[in-house]
Amino acid sequence: MRETGVLMPVFSLPSATGAGDLGKAAYRWVDLLAQSHVGIWQILPLNPVGYGNSPYQPYSSFAGDDLYISLDRLYELGLIRKLPRTFMEHSARIDYSQVRAFREPYLREAFANFREDEDYQTFVRQSWVYLYGVFRALKARNHNLCWNQWPDRDKNWPVSRKPLDEDIEKEAHYHMFLQYMFYIQWKALKTYANDKNIKIMGDIPFYVGIDSLDVWADRKSFLLDENGVPVFIAGVPPDYFSATGQRWGNPIYDWDYLKDHDYDFWIQRIGYNQKLFDIIRIDHFRAFDTYWKIPATCPTAMEGEWIEAPGYEVLDMIFKKIPDVYLVAEDLGMLRPQVHTLKNHYHLKGMKILVFALDASGKYARDIEAESENMILYTGTHDNDTIMEWYGKLTPASKRKIRRFLKSRNIKEGSIAQRLITYVLRSQTDIAVISMPDALALGKEGHINTPGTVGSPNWEWHMADFKKAQKQLFKLKHLIEENRQP
C-alpha cells in the first residue's frame, strides 16, 4: 500500500517558548498524524545549528540541538523548580537568539540539579560525546569563532588532549548533559510515534560544516591547509535557484584518505543516524556520483569543476556494515544519467517535486505518471516556493492551464492547493509527502528557506498553534482515505 507522509520541521511546531521542541506539542502532533492516517513524519536535520541557523551547517553530525529540549520534561524530572513562563508563544517567526537566551537559565538550572546514573554513563562513553562537549566549551571561550581561528592550544586539542582548565571541563560536561537530555527526549518521542505506526524520516546533509566537531576532530578527512582552512569548498554551479550558483562553504572530503580508512567517517554518521530515524534522506545525494569542487578563493560558485566521487565504494561499505539501513536519495536538479544509475543500483527511492515537475501544459506531470516506481512525490520541500506562492507567480493563462489540467484528471473540487494535494495523493508513487505549509495553503509566509541565501527569514517559520492544522489534517485524512491504493 502506498504511504503518505507530512514534512514538518520540529522547530516549526507550536510551542510555549518560541520554537518547537520535544514536549507536549510534539506528542500532540504525532497524535494528529496518526488520526489522519499519515504514516511518515519527515523532519529536517536535528543537529545544533551554526551559521545562519541552517540545519545544513551544523556543529556536529551526531549531536542534537538543545533548542529542542523540552523544559516541561525537565520540570517533570524535578530538574527545574518552576514551570517556565510562556515566551513568544504564538509567534509566527522564530527569533533564535531570543529563544536561546530565554531557555539558557532553565538548562543551566537543570544541569546543576542533575545526578549522573548508569544510563547517563553509558551514553557519554560514546566517543563523540565528550569531544562535542569540549568543542562547545572551547568555542564559547573563543567568542564563538570558527575553530580554525582559535589559538593553537585549542585548535589542536583533539591531537594533544592536554588537561583542560576546570571551567572548560565543567562547561564540557554541561554540553554532555544537554546531549543526554536531547537523546532521551527524542528517543521517547520516536518510540511514541512508532507505537502509533508512524515512521520518522530524518535528513542528513551530504557535507558537514567547517565549524563543526566533525572537521575539528577529524581534519584529515577533508581538504584543508595547514591552518585548517578549506582549500576547496562545496556548492553547485548556476541553476534554477541562483544565477551565480550556490557557494555553500562546506569543506570537500579527502576521498583518498576516507578510502584508506574504509569510509569509517560515513559508516559512523549513517550508523548513528539509524539509531535516531526509521528512514534517512541523504541531502544532495548526487555528490556520491559527481561533486562541484570550488576553489575556496572564488567568491561565487561559478568557477569550479565536476569531480567523480567513489559513490559505489562508499555505498557498498555502508550496506555491508549497516545492511538494514533505509536510505532515500535527494536526486533533484540537473543530473547526469549516472546519478540515477547509482541510485537504482541500490534500489533507493528518489524524489520529485510537484511545483518543478508540473508545468502549465502538464508535460512534466505526464512524466511523473509514467515514471512513478520507487519514487517519493512531494508537494514541495523546505527549499522551494509553497504551492500557493508558486501558483500566485503564474500568469493568468498558465493558471487556467493548470486548472484545466486538474480537471482533465477529474480533480475539480476544493482550493487550488487542495486540488494539487489531491493530485499528489492520487499518484502511483510509493510515497506521497505533503509539506505542512502546503497543507495549510500558506503563501510566502510559509516559505522555509531560499537556497543561496543566509540568515533571516530562512528557517524561521513557526506554526503559532494547532487550530488550522487540525482542520487541514482532518481534510487530509479524507483525501488519504479516498485515494488509498491496494
Side-chain angles (χ1 to χ4, degrees):
M1 180 178 292
R2 203 269 312 286
E3 296 181 279
T4 302
V6 170
L7 170 61
M8 177 67 172
V10 175
F11 61 74
S12 296
L13 290 171
S15 170
T17 55
D21 60 31
L22 305 178
K24 295 176 182 177
Y27 285 80
R28 185 178 175 196
W29 170 252
V30 169
D31 289 339
L32 290 174
L33 293 180
Q35 292 163 13
S36 303
H37 303 316
V38 172
I40 297 173
W41 175 16
Q42 181 172 342
I43 60 175
L44 300 184
L46 295 174
N47 310 113
V49 300
Y51 184 58
N53 295 314
S54 170
Y56 296 90
Q57 293 283 352
Y59 288 143
S60 168
S61 293
F62 297 83
D65 200 318
D66 58 67
L67 183 81
Y68 299 123
I69 296 173
S70 167
L71 301 183
D72 285 352
R73 293 286 184 257
L74 297 182
Y75 172 77
E76 292 168 3
L77 290 173
L79 295 177
I80 54 179
R81 290 172 298 159
K82 295 181 180 180
L83 275 172
R85 61 183 175 83
T86 58
F87 178 77
M88 302 183 74
E89 182 175 11
H90 299 296
S91 174
R93 311 300 302 180
I94 299 171
D95 187 319
Y96 284 89
S97 59
Q98 287 196 50
V99 170
R100 291 190 190 280
F102 170 80
R103 294 167 53 82
E104 180 76 8
Y106 294 102
L107 298 177
R108 295 282 178 182
E109 180 187 353
F111 173 59
N113 293 327
F114 178 68
R115 298 296 175 264
E116 298 180 8
D117 58 15
E118 186 176 343
D119 189 55
Y120 174 80
Q121 291 294 340
T122 299
F123 176 80
V124 300
R125 277 195 288 270
Q126 298 176 97
S127 60
W128 67 268
V129 179
Y130 180 61
L131 278 170
Y132 178 74
V134 174
F135 174 76
R136 292 301 301 268
L138 293 177
K139 188 169 179 60
R141 177 162 77 180
N142 289 285
H143 311 291
N144 284 319
L145 292 172
C146 182
W147 66 266
N148 56 25
Q149 299 178 54
W150 299 351
D152 287 345
R153 63 169 184 175
D154 295 344
K155 179 190 298 185
N156 299 321
W157 186 88
V159 177
S160 70
R161 299 293 180 106
K162 291 182 178 180
L164 297 166
D165 297 340
E166 184 178 348
D167 60 331
I168 296 297
E169 189 73 33
K170 182 177 180 180
E171 185 70 4
H173 280 265
Y174 167 63
H175 286 283
M176 293 163 66
F177 159 76
L178 294 181
Q179 287 311 302
Y180 177 66
M181 286 294 116
F182 167 84
Y183 180 79
I184 62 174
Q185 289 190 10
W186 172 253
K187 290 294 284 186
L189 178 61
K190 180 181 180 295
T191 298
Y192 185 80
N194 290 167
D195 287 346
K196 290 183 174 290
N197 296 315
I198 294 172
K199 294 191 284 285
I200 307 291
M201 187 190 299
D203 193 335
I204 67 170
F206 183 86
Y207 292 108
V208 299
I210 177 62
D211 191 13
S212 67
L213 167 65
D214 306 270
V215 184
W216 177 64
D218 194 14
R219 61 194 77 172
K220 289 183 179 179
S221 293
F222 305 89
L223 298 179
L224 310 175
D225 67 16
E226 65 277 7
N227 296 312
V229 176
V231 179
F232 296 94
I233 56 174
V236 289
D239 59 8
Y240 171 88
F241 291 111
S242 174
T244 58
Q246 297 176 44
R247 187 184 186 278
W248 297 333
N250 307 73
I252 296 289
Y253 293 111
D254 185 336
W255 287 112
D256 291 335
Y257 178 85
L258 292 179
K259 179 177 182 177
D260 290 343
H261 293 78
D262 294 329
Y263 302 107
D264 186 62
F265 183 88
W266 271 95
I267 304 302
Q268 295 299 322
R269 285 184 81 203
I270 298 294
Y272 189 76
N273 277 271
Q274 190 192 29
K275 296 179 182 179
L276 302 181
F277 311 118
D278 303 296
I279 308 169
I280 301 172
R281 189 194 85 118
I282 299 180
D283 189 69
H284 197 56
F285 175 85
R286 64 102 12 97
F288 275 126
D289 172 66
T290 48
Y291 56 93
W292 189 241
K293 186 178 181 182
I294 309 167
T297 54
C298 295
T300 72
M302 297 181 72
E303 295 182 41
E305 59 178 331
W306 287 112
I307 306 294
E308 289 194 3
Y312 287 95
E313 290 183 9
V314 181
L315 290 166
D316 279 347
M317 190 64 71
I318 288 173
F319 284 107
K320 177 182 177 181
K321 299 285 188 179
I322 320 169
D324 57 343
V325 69
Y326 185 168
L327 300 180
V328 166
E330 184 268 293
D331 56 343
L332 304 173
M334 296 179 289
L335 308 177
R336 68 179 195 157
Q338 289 91 332
V339 178
H340 300 293
T341 302
L342 176 66
K343 179 197 70 174
N344 293 335
H345 179 79
Y346 297 96
H347 307 289
L348 306 183
K349 288 181 172 59
M351 296 174 55
K352 293 287 185 185
I353 308 299
L354 180 67
V355 297
F356 294 160
L358 177 64
D359 72 353
S361 69
K363 172 185 175 183
Y364 299 110
R366 286 193 288 275
D367 292 341
I368 286 180
E369 292 161 7
E371 303 172 8
S372 60
E373 186 177 354
N374 219 21
M375 184 199 299
I376 306 176
L377 180 58
Y378 289 76
T379 57
T381 71
H382 59 280
D383 271 344
N384 55 263
D385 290 350
T386 66
I387 282 178
M388 295 307 297
E389 190 178 9
W390 164 80
Y391 185 75
K393 293 177 180 179
L394 297 178
T395 64
S398 294
K399 289 178 181 178
R400 286 193 297 271
K401 289 180 180 179
I402 292 294
R403 292 194 297 269
R404 283 199 297 268
F405 167 78
L406 291 169
K407 188 176 180 180
S408 73
R409 266 52 176 184
N410 200 30
I411 302 174
K412 306 173 185 177
E413 303 298 327
S415 67
I416 193 67
Q418 189 169 337
R419 279 181 275 170
L420 288 166
I421 288 172
T422 299
Y423 176 78
V424 170
L425 292 175
R426 284 188 184 178
S427 70
Q428 300 298 308
T429 52
D430 295 333
I431 301 174
V433 176
I434 313 303
S435 166
M436 196 57 199
D438 288 334
L440 295 170
L442 298 179
K444 186 177 181 180
E445 70 276 16
H447 195 124
I448 296 174
N449 175 59
T450 300
T453 66
V454 177
S456 184
N458 293 334
W459 318 113
E460 294 177 358
W461 175 63
H462 186 237
M463 199 162 68
D465 54 50
F466 280 119
K467 292 177 183 177
K468 187 176 179 181
Q470 187 166 352
K471 293 178 181 177
Q472 296 307 114
L473 286 172
F474 184 73
K475 292 180 181 178
L476 189 62
K477 171 185 176 180
H478 290 289
L479 289 173
I480 292 171
E481 289 176 339
E482 289 173 5
N483 295 287
R484 279 184 183 273
Q485 295 180 10

